[in-house]
Amino acid sequence: MAKVALDQLCRTRPVRAIYTIPTVHNPLGWVLDREQRDRLAALARAHNCLIIEDGTYAFLESSPPPPLQALAPERTCYVAGLSKNVAPGLRFGFAVLPDRHLEAATSGLRTVAWGAPGVVTALATSWIADGTVTSLEEDRREDAAARQDIARDALAGLDITAHPVSYMVWLALGPHQRPDHVAAVLAEKGILVSTADAFATGPHRPRALRLALATPPLDELGAALRCLKDAIETIAP
């Protein structure tokens, strides 16, 4: 259905680019399989669309299908960084672009940021080369999997969607539960969540919350999520 809708949109409107998170989607955690990626690449070619592939969370999937950049390199801009898989303070990103877009991308980058500090670039490239990033990513996957196990146990009975190795949970609310109200109730208990408004691009706003699992200490996460569940279940469904 998604492919049909996107194809129809491209036929009726001048779509120049398709932005996608095909591997561990934020906030749903979905991973497009190889067939879906092939169809998306073919659709982009048919309508001459650029693909912007966000690989920020791709490291969480240990055996992902090939990135879209490998399937449609002539029209895919792959972007990612090291703030999620290594350290939040390491503001280092990278992009793999078709040759024809290199000049425009470089010019745009220099307009907004000029470039990363030399010491950050040296540190990041060194860690990539010597295997430090690979090791840290393995640690992150183990930590994320443990947190998802805790979340599934603590939130049992609620309508949740999540990748089994990720730092986020999409929690669907009841038909009469307003996300902003639920978020306010949780905030009073010291639990901060994001509502679906932050992720919706159209007029429809799902009744849902995004739960971030990375911040609480591991030994406190279960209690926080059980408190969240109790609060939600006390609000009229």
Side-chain angles (χ1 to χ4, degrees), residues 180-193:
D180 57 340
H181 173 62
V182 175
V185 170
L186 293 174
E188 292 177 354
K189 298 180 179 295
I191 302 174
L192 302 181
V193 298

Side-chain angles (χ1 to χ4, degrees), residues 7-220:
D7 182 58
Q8 182 62 29
L9 180 65
C10 290
R11 291 177 184 278
T12 57
R13 299 179 61 180
V15 177
R16 296 182 60 188
I18 300 168
Y19 172 80
T20 179
I21 311 176
T23 308
V24 189
H25 178 273
N26 179 22
L28 295 170
W30 293 343
V31 177
L32 295 184
D33 60 29
R34 175 59 188 269
E35 181 181 355
Q36 291 170 321
R37 292 170 193 241
D38 285 338
R39 292 203 304 266
L40 180 56
L43 188 150
R45 287 193 177 104
H47 296 287
N48 194 28
C49 295
L50 184 71
I51 298 173
I52 301 172
E53 181 176 11
D54 186 338
T56 302
Y57 292 99
F59 74 95
L60 291 168
E61 174 59 58
S62 59
S63 300
L68 290 164
Q69 197 281 329
L71 302 178
E74 82 286 355
R75 64 183 60 254
T76 302
C77 299
Y78 184 96
V79 295
L82 300 185
S83 62
K84 301 298 183 183
N85 55 345
V86 177
L90 189 58
R91 296 300 184 180
F92 179 89
F94 57 88
V96 181
L97 312 171
D99 289 345
R100 68 181 185 278
H101 294 296
L102 286 175
E103 183 177 351
T106 301
S107 177
L109 177 62
R110 287 175 174 168
T111 298
V112 298
W114 185 252
V119 66
V120 173
T121 301
L123 180 64
T125 54
S126 173
W127 282 358
I128 292 172
D130 69 13
T132 298
V133 170
T134 299
S135 177
L136 289 172
E137 287 180 341
E138 291 174 354
D139 293 342
R140 293 285 189 274
R141 284 193 289 271
E142 291 180 4
D143 180 62
R147 290 172 183 272
Q148 284 291 340
D149 287 343
I150 292 172
R152 283 193 295 272
D153 180 64
L155 302 176
L158 298 183
D159 185 359
I160 62 173
T161 301
H163 186 278
V165 182
S166 73
Y167 285 109
M168 65 199 84
V169 169
W170 187 251
L171 171 61
L173 299 174
H176 302 294
Q177 291 178 323
R178 287 175 32 212
D180 57 340
H181 173 62
V182 175
V185 170
L186 293 174
E188 292 177 354
K189 298 180 179 295
I191 302 174
L192 302 181
V193 298
S194 299
T195 66
D197 287 358
F199 304 94
T201 58
H204 174 64
R205 297 292 190 267
R207 294 182 181 275
L209 304 174
R210 180 190 184 274
L211 313 182
L213 306 182
T215 302
L218 194 62
D219 59 354
E220 298 177 11

